[in-house]
Amino acid sequence: MRTKLSFFIFLISNILLSQGTSNLIASNNFSFNNSRLSSNTIDANGFQFELLDAGVNTKYSEIGSGFFRNKLIMVSSKKLGGLAKLDPNTNEAYKDLFCLDIDKNGSLSLPLLFSRILNTQDSEDQLTFSPDQKTVYYTRSSKENSMEYKLYKAVLEEDSHGNWINEELLSINKANVSIENPFMSPKGDKLYFSSNMPGSIGGYDIYVSNINTDGSLSTPENLGNIINTASDEKYPSLSIDSKYLYFSSKGHNSIGGFDLFTSKILSNRYKTPRNMGNTINTKYDEVAYFLAAKNKGYVSSNRPNGKGGFDIYTATNDEIIQTVKGKVLDLETKIKLPNTLVVLKDEEGNEISRQLTKEDATYSFNVIPFESYSITTQKEGFKEGDFKFTTTRGYETSYIKDLELLTTEPVIAKVEDELRIVLENIYFDFNKWNVKEESFISLNKIIKVLKEHPEMKLAINAHTDNKGRDSYNLNLSNKRAASAVTYLINNGIDKNRLQSKGYGETKPKIDCKNACTEENLQANRRVEFVIIE
């Protein structure tokens, strides 16, 4: 029996071995497809793009590059007139730069050769303009080495209609190095590009150079392994406000081919890139994403059902708006705290928005997906709060975050020749004398001091503003002082230790007479706690 079993195992092994490489390929394909299937599970990821054919695509490749005088500049292998010579590396004609009209919907039309000076018999590729559009940085390869691009600079002749002069091969070019996809920052101070320079992490990495006052470039700086991977990274661009880097990558968490990614630019680093989601990325290549407005731009892709090669699409992001909201509460009592200043800041502490909590102590801010924030609070009688918060979802949603504040300690100090317990004001509703709930927290501080000093006696003095009749204000202030005393007695303080008196409008803190501002009136509406023994 054992002999038969051994023979059977031997027979199966030989059958498997005879299939050899084909089994190995099948196994690898199965593993690869599973991996790809897993990658395809990337969802919208915080973006909601609508892509439309830009209206200018042909059987040749078209890739957008930048804007000049309200026209789109594109790179294409199409040739106007005559028979084009083919690049053996691409099987398409050598590339030229074209300019295109843009209609109000972003659609493109009327492609014309951009510049008889910049276009040559060699291949021109991506270019970028300074903010004043008087300097251009562009790339070109030779017919002898059409896959290796060099970076050039030219300036626009004064008062000319597109006459570029002083063409210059820049000093950062090196032998056997290709410099591609230049993009100038909106401020005009930095030039981003992709290159296979020695020391690159992958085949092509993204670099940045500072632009000197004479237009020359500083030594290129690799953006590092947060942005660059062992695969290729190309086509850098920035958001209009320069806060986000966009680029195409075959690495990171990719659906397939080149995917578009975004990384927030912080003061000293780049954040981990985020795939821009399946409403713009496919298992094919998406490249050359750049913005014409905050959420409107162009992207080029070789996805199926296009006209041929790479096609240009308008890309409109229907911005996903999320909210973070909640209530501001006292940590110990959970009492609601209206009129608290709540400030939303980005992760570097820059203020985005501020508001005062409403009577129900609520606040609400709009936020965007996958960002880090801090929420700070300020309220008299409470320590400043600082709450970290990250939006972790990629769809329209609300995050509930209640903010619980710590109270400050009361202070015993001499004020206007009186020894007082100094703390925040006690609040009452308009024309009423019942202590508002939020002021229970302040009165609890008085209770704490009185319990720590059992021999202490207090005079609770209430004051009003000068609105209304004198007699009415005097009566109202007496009732308010008595109301504060009642709260203290009900919470364990002996009534013999307390006395109350209303002064109406007779002792204003700010003697503004008939020219009082709302702030003056508020300052005069107060309760003071004077130590009498």
Side-chain angles (χ1 to χ4, degrees), residues 512-526:
C512 49
K513 296 183 172 56
N514 295 325
C516 297
T517 65
E518 185 54 44
E519 290 76 14
N520 298 151
L521 296 172
Q522 177 62 47
N524 288 335
R525 297 191 292 264
R526 67 199 191 278

Side-chain angles (χ1 to χ4, degrees), residues 312-529:
I312 301 177
Y313 297 85
T314 61
T316 303
N317 179 32
D318 186 10
E319 191 171 12
I320 293 174
I321 301 297
Q322 302 177 336
T323 58
V324 55
K325 58 185 179 180
K327 297 177 180 177
V328 181
L329 308 170
D330 173 60
L331 176 64
E332 185 176 351
T333 65
K334 310 307 179 194
I335 288 174
K336 299 173 185 176
L337 301 176
N339 299 307
T340 303
L341 177 63
V342 185
V343 181
L344 180 70
K345 299 179 180 180
D346 66 21
E347 61 189 298
E348 292 194 298
N350 302 307
E351 181 176 327
I352 299 171
S353 183
R354 62 170 54 202
Q355 58 190 239
L356 287 173
T357 54
K358 302 173 184 175
E359 193 61 31
D360 60 0
T362 59
Y363 75 93
S364 178
F365 292 112
N366 286 341
V367 291
I368 58 178
F370 303 110
E371 290 287 340
S372 296
Y373 297 93
S374 65
I375 303 173
T376 61
T377 59
Q378 294 179 28
K379 185 172 177 63
E380 188 183 19
F382 291 84
K383 296 178 181 178
E384 291 190 6
D386 189 358
F387 305 86
K388 304 302 181 185
F389 173 71
T390 300
T391 51
T392 57
R393 304 165 195 160
Y395 47 86
E396 288 191 5
T397 188
S398 292
Y399 305 90
I400 306 300
K401 188 172 182 63
D402 290 340
L403 311 176
E404 297 183 335
L405 308 187
L406 287 167
T407 61
T408 56
E409 295 296 322
V411 175
I412 297 176
K414 199 165 188 177
V415 181
E416 298 174 359
D417 296 324
E418 294 177 331
L419 197 59
R420 298 180 188 174
I421 302 176
V422 181
L423 72 167
E424 61 280 1
N425 209 349
I426 305 297
Y427 293 100
F428 304 85
D429 284 321
F430 179 69
N431 278 350
K432 294 184 179 179
W433 53 87
N434 293 326
V435 178
K436 294 186 73 169
E437 184 183 47
E438 65 174 294
S439 288
F440 292 169
I441 301 163
S442 302
L443 290 174
N444 289 341
K445 296 180 184 181
I446 298 295
I447 292 169
K448 181 181 177 183
V449 173
L450 289 172
K451 287 184 175 180
E452 290 174 350
H453 301 84
E455 74 291 348
M456 184 182 289
K457 292 184 179 182
L458 281 185
I460 293 91
N461 302 329
H463 306 265
T464 68
D465 57 38
N466 59 3
K467 284 188 173 181
R469 300 189 312 274
D470 293 359
S471 59
Y472 178 83
N473 284 336
L474 184 62
N475 184 48
L476 180 63
S477 63
N478 273 311
K479 289 181 177 180
R480 286 180 171 178
S483 181
V485 167
T486 299
Y487 181 88
L488 298 178
I489 292 171
N490 290 340
N491 284 274
I493 302 302
D494 189 332
K495 64 180 181 180
N496 294 319
R497 300 174 63 190
L498 307 170
Q499 58 180 252
S500 65
K501 184 175 177 60
Y503 289 89
E505 59 186 81
T506 61
K507 291 188 174 184
K509 187 174 184 179
I510 301 174
D511 191 8
C512 49
K513 296 183 172 56
N514 295 325
C516 297
T517 65
E518 185 54 44
E519 290 76 14
N520 298 151
L521 296 172
Q522 177 62 47
N524 288 335
R525 297 191 292 264
R526 67 199 191 278
V527 176
E528 296 170 345
F529 300 88

